[in-house]
Amino acid sequence: MAAHSKSVLITGVSSGIGLGAARMFTRAGYRVFGTVRSDRDAHSVRAACGGLATPVVLDVRDLDRVARLPQVLGELGLHELDGLICNAGVIRTGPVLTQPLADIEVQIAVIVAPGAVQSRIWQKASASAQCANIGSVYRQPYRRFEELSRAIEAGGYTADEAGRFLVRVFEARSPRTRYAAVRGRLVNWTIPSLLPDRWLDMVMRRTLALS
């Protein structure tokens, strides 16, 4: 492991991309602090990262706890932050029409949470600190969506690959404002981004058998 003096805070490291990022940043020599929602998750994260990551028990929807986050990190020995990765999220599958309002409320709270975390934690940021907001897609509970999901997952990034991707982004000399971590970039990103909106909507409808 390379010697490194930089520190990064990653929200939502219990599983998935967050855990993969925690593993890859610790391997790259960073001091990693990661939020989890339970002591059990904290133990699992420590084990997965070889004891090199420092879990912080925090639900990002708890704004009172978020407000105290800089103090908590200071007590853990973090005095200057070089990177923040807002990854925490919740999965609620299916169209909004089919979801209970309580589930929608949870999603809205988690979507708003990164702004709250950033506004509080940035007081510990170094002059060259970077921030990344992570978004991802997940399969839907309908046959056509599931078929597409299996195809996407088979050719998609693993959590550790996503973590390595993030390390490269943070260590880039001139990082871009947006990155798309996709395979088959020409077909899955470049061409769709160039299509007129209505054409893209038509392609998506036909692909998902919605028309």
Side-chain angles (χ1 to χ4, degrees):
M1 183 178 68
H4 217 303
S5 60
K6 291 188 175 182
S7 298
V8 62
L9 171 67
I10 308 170
T11 65
V13 299
S14 300
S15 61
I17 292 174
L19 181 57
R23 282 196 293 255
M24 295 303 106
F25 273 92
T26 54
R27 290 182 189 179
Y30 285 75
R31 293 184 66 202
V32 173
F33 297 80
T35 69
V36 296
R37 291 197 292 171
S38 70
D39 291 330
R40 180 178 179 179
D41 288 340
H43 178 77
S44 298
V45 169
R46 287 193 192 94
C49 296
L52 299 176
T54 303
V56 180
V57 179
L58 170 74
D59 186 332
V60 295
R61 295 173 297 170
D62 186 339
L63 297 183
D64 289 336
R65 292 290 303 276
V66 169
R68 295 195 297 272
L69 185 55
Q71 177 183 345
V72 171
L73 292 174
E75 293 169 354
L76 292 172
L78 176 62
H79 303 295
E80 188 172 71
L81 185 69
D82 298 290
L84 170 63
I85 299 176
C86 294
N87 167 76
V90 294
I91 298 297
R92 296 290 188 270
T93 59
V96 173
L97 181 64
T98 67
Q99 297 181 29
L101 291 177
D103 286 356
I104 295 174
E105 184 177 20
V106 169
Q107 292 180 74
I108 292 173
V110 174
I111 289 170
V112 172
V117 174
Q118 291 172 27
S119 66
R120 297 303 183 273
I121 201 61
W122 218 242
Q123 62 187 273
K124 283 188 171 293
S126 67
S128 58
Q130 299 181 67
C131 177
N133 293 302
I134 307 301
S136 59
V137 295
Y138 194 73
R139 64 176 154 183
Q140 309 295 325
Y142 299 96
R143 179 176 300 174
R144 183 55 178 155
F145 283 113
E146 289 183 347
E147 291 173 357
L148 287 169
S149 175
R150 284 193 291 271
I152 292 170
E153 289 173 358
Y157 280 86
T158 66
D160 282 355
E161 287 174 328
R164 282 192 288 269
F165 184 90
L166 283 166
V167 171
R168 292 198 299 272
V169 169
F170 268 67
E171 295 188 342
R173 290 187 176 182
S174 300
R176 301 197 299 270
T177 56
R178 292 178 178 81
Y179 288 85
V182 296
R183 296 195 189 281
R185 186 179 179 85
L186 177 63
V187 173
N188 295 322
W189 181 260
T190 303
I191 292 177
S193 67
L194 295 174
L195 287 175
D197 291 344
R198 294 185 186 279
W199 289 19
L200 182 58
D201 289 346
M202 179 181 66
V203 171
M204 291 298 293
R205 285 198 300 272
R206 291 182 177 178
T207 302
L208 299 176
L210 297 176
S211 62

